[in-house]
């Protein structure tokens, strides 16, 4: 198996002679990338240097044009989105624990595609919650899954595309791949917590007072291998960890010996390394919120509902 090297990219001291400087697993940008032309030239040099997979410093990750140009040139930017799909049960556990939510609630998974990540998550969540529902525009794709779950483990799950009723009782909703346009055709629980794995999502319903979780961070204590303090300060822990877990999950020998789906290989790595959720980042229709904290999400929601308030909340657990 060919291993593709992952480079840590950060801003270096500006030089008139070079665009980038590569040393070991680090690549420093030696130009100001404050416009499209300069950004393109730097990215072109990275392509010539055979840089294929990158982790960006916090500062560079905020440079949207730089990220856009990297992706346009087929450079993989590790930003935690791949790992996000494997942390769903941990994120839900975090939410429920901090808000004293019982497992008798209804959890809905929104998807039009049968993927390994979806199958793994639906199986895990069906064992933890009293009612698990699949909401899809293509119910015919999921009938065999429904039947197999019932036959092999006795798990009962509901499949629905009823736009008026499917999501009215769902307290937690996980969106895998439905578009914003499609989701807004459904009647949604006014106080639902939506974990969004897809593209940018905004609920247009005026009465919606729930939260859309769009990002997360993990704890860094004792679980970020080969990373010094400076690296941990400059880069997001989830980006570093995503790279490490992704590489481990690609070890062919381990996949063959375990005889498991990739979902369960990744989940086992996550559990072995005791990865924990540190923060959740979300929004409702009036403001942006950040949960890190000793106050419950319900308390944060109360703060958010005041009209015309736009601010960033940080609370410490």
């Amino acid at each position: 198996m060919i291993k593709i090297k992952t480079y840590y990219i950060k801003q270096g001291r500006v030089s008139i002679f070079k665009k980038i400087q590569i040393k070991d697993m680090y690549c420093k940008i030696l130009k100001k990338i404050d416009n499209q032309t300069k950004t393109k030239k730097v990215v072109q040099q990275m392509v010539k240097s055979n840089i294929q997979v990158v982790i960006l410093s916090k500062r560079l990750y905020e440079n949207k044009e730089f990220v856009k140009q990297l992706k346009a040139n087929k450079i993989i930017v590790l930003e935690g989105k791949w790992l996000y799909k494997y942390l769903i049960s941990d994120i839900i556990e975090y939410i429920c624990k901090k808000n004293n939510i019982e497992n008798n609630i209804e959890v809905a998974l929104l998807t039009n595609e049968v993927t390994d990540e979806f199958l793994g998550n639906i199986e895990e969540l069906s064992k933890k919650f009293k009612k698990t529902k699949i909401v899809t525009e293509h119910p015919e794709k999921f009938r065999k899954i429904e039947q197999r779950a019932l036959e092999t483990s006795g798990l009962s799950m509901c499949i629905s595309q009823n736009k008026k009723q499917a999501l009215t009782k769902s307290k937690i909703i996980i969106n895998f791949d439905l578009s914003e346009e499609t989701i807004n055709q459904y009647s949604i629980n006014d106080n639902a917590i939506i974990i969004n794995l897809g593209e940018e999502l905004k609920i247009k319903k005026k009465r919606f007072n729930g939260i859309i979780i769009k990002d997360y961070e993990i704890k860094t204590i004792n679980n970020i291998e080969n990373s010094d303090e400076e690296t941990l300060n400059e880069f997001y822990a989830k980006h570093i960890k995503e790279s490490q877990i992704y590489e481990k999950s690609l070890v062919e020998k381990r996949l063959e010996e375990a005889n498991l789906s990739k979902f369960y290989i990744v989940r086992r790595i996550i559990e072995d390394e005791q990865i924990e959720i540190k923060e959740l980042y979300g929004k409702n229709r009036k403001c942006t919120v950040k949960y890190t904290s000793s106050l419950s999400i319900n308390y944060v929601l109360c703060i958010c509902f005041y009209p015309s308030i736009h601010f960033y909340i940080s609370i410490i657990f």
Side-chain angles (χ1 to χ4, degrees), residues 64-81:
K64 302 305 179 186
E65 179 61 32
F66 184 48
V67 175
K68 178 182 174 182
Q69 289 296 329
L70 289 170
K71 291 179 179 179
N73 283 273
K74 299 186 180 348
I75 294 177
I76 297 170
V77 180
L78 296 177
E79 48 192 340
K81 290 184 178 179

Side-chain angles (χ1 to χ4, degrees), residues 63 67 96 104 107 109 192 199 202 277 308 317:
N63 188 325
V67 175
C96 291
N104 60 354
V107 176
L109 291 84
E199 299 300 319
K202 181 179 180 180
I277 302 299
S308 305
F317 274 129

Side-chain angles (χ1 to χ4, degrees), residues 55 126 150:
I55 299 172
S126 294
L150 188 60

Side-chain angles (χ1 to χ4, degrees), residues 5 8 107 124 145 161 166 196 245 268-269:
K5 188 173 183 179
Y8 288 74
V107 176
E124 278 201 347
I145 297 169
Q161 62 177 150
N196 185 38
I245 292 177
R268 188 167 67 183
I269 296 170

Side-chain angles (χ1 to χ4, degrees), residues 285-298:
R285 65 186 179 85
K286 291 177 182 171
C287 67
T288 300
V289 296
K290 171 184 174 182
Y291 309 118
T292 61
S293 69
S294 59
L295 300 180
S296 72
I297 291 181
N298 292 329

